[in-house]
Amino acid sequence: MKERIKIVEGDITEQEVDAIVNAANTSLLGGGGVDGAIHRAAGPELLEETRKIGGCPTGETRVSKGYRLPARWVIHTVGPVWAGGHKNEENLLANCYKNSLRAAVEHGVKTIAFPSISTGVYRFPLERATEIALTETKKFIETNENPDKVVFVCFGEKALNTYREVFERIY
Ligand code: ADP
């Protein structure tokens, strides 16, 4: 199982994978952070499509094309805003990973890249978010052939070290 996971430091918009996951907001109309970077790199056609999709509830996913990105698909998922831990945030974040992986299977995706959902503006504690990301992905790939490769793209050294530590503990 271990060899199907890759942890890298970098920019998710540059990943040569079949699908990248966007940490979007419920409007799907773009925003800051990774969402803004993905919209800038994909070009204005992405916003045209997500505007038509019309929004996405927290924990769910919607799929669009990748346009000018190297990735063919963008799987938009909406992470929970951290509100102290008693608002179902952990389950909602787990749903983001589960539903994104399911959507990947439905679209024939063999390689997928995730950002660290909810750990930016949405303030989810990084270590706990990383445990959820890696645990949900492990459970999923143990029972599914696809995606064959899951890349976790860490934006900065702090995230990279956290992902590496949690990976050694969990896998
Ligand atoms: P959220 O609103 O879900 O917290 P953010 O975009 O604010 O989303 O942050 C999510 C994570 O994405 C953060 O860890 C942030 O450092 C990271 N991030 C920001 N830009 C990029 C990028 N271009 N590639 C990968 N990760 C990124």
Side-chain angles (χ1 to χ4, degrees):
M1 231 34 70
K2 241 180 157 160
E3 65 288 346
R4 287 170 66 188
I5 306 286
K6 212 168 135 188
I7 295 167
V8 302
E9 190 179 354
D11 181 342
I12 199 163
T13 64
E14 295 171 1
Q15 302 299 310
E16 306 266 350
V17 287
D18 298 331
I20 64 171
V21 176
N22 182 16
N25 56 55
T26 53
S27 76
L28 295 187
L29 297 179
V34 72
D35 196 6
I38 289 172
H39 275 272
R40 277 193 300 279
E45 297 97 332
L46 178 60
L47 183 59
E48 259 175 59
E49 185 176 352
T50 56
R51 190 178 279 133
K52 282 185 199 139
I53 294 171
C56 178
T58 304
E60 293 189 20
T61 60
R62 298 292 183 267
V63 180
S64 75
K65 290 187 225 158
Y67 299 97
R68 298 177 205 175
L69 292 163
R72 176 162 181 213
W73 304 108
V74 179
I75 299 173
H76 304 266
T77 190
V78 181
V81 178
W82 181 258
H86 300 288
K87 291 250 159 80
N88 203 29
E89 296 97 315
E90 299 203 338
N91 277 322
L92 289 166
L93 186 62
N95 288 346
C96 290
Y97 286 93
K98 275 187 263 195
N99 289 326
S100 296
L101 290 163
R102 276 189 206 135
V105 170
E106 283 164 14
H107 286 77
V109 165
K110 294 201 182 312
T111 55
I112 184 171
F114 279 97
S116 180
I117 300 162
S118 282
T119 66
V121 176
Y122 284 1
R123 303 181 314 269
F124 203 110
L126 178 62
E127 186 163 347
R128 188 68 197 113
T130 306
E131 286 167 357
I132 292 167
L134 294 178
T135 307
E136 290 308 322
T137 301
K138 183 169 190 271
K139 280 196 256 173
F140 193 91
I141 63 173
E142 276 170 356
T143 50
N144 290 275
E145 266 176 45
N146 278 319
D148 177 47
K149 281 265 178 317
V150 182
V151 184
F152 291 97
V153 183
C154 302
F155 204 62
E157 206 177 336
K158 188 174 168 225
L160 181 68
N161 290 335
T162 303
Y163 269 77
R164 283 181 172 162
E165 274 167 38
V166 174
F167 180 79
E168 287 310 319
R169 221 188 312 133
I170 286 178
Y171 279 81

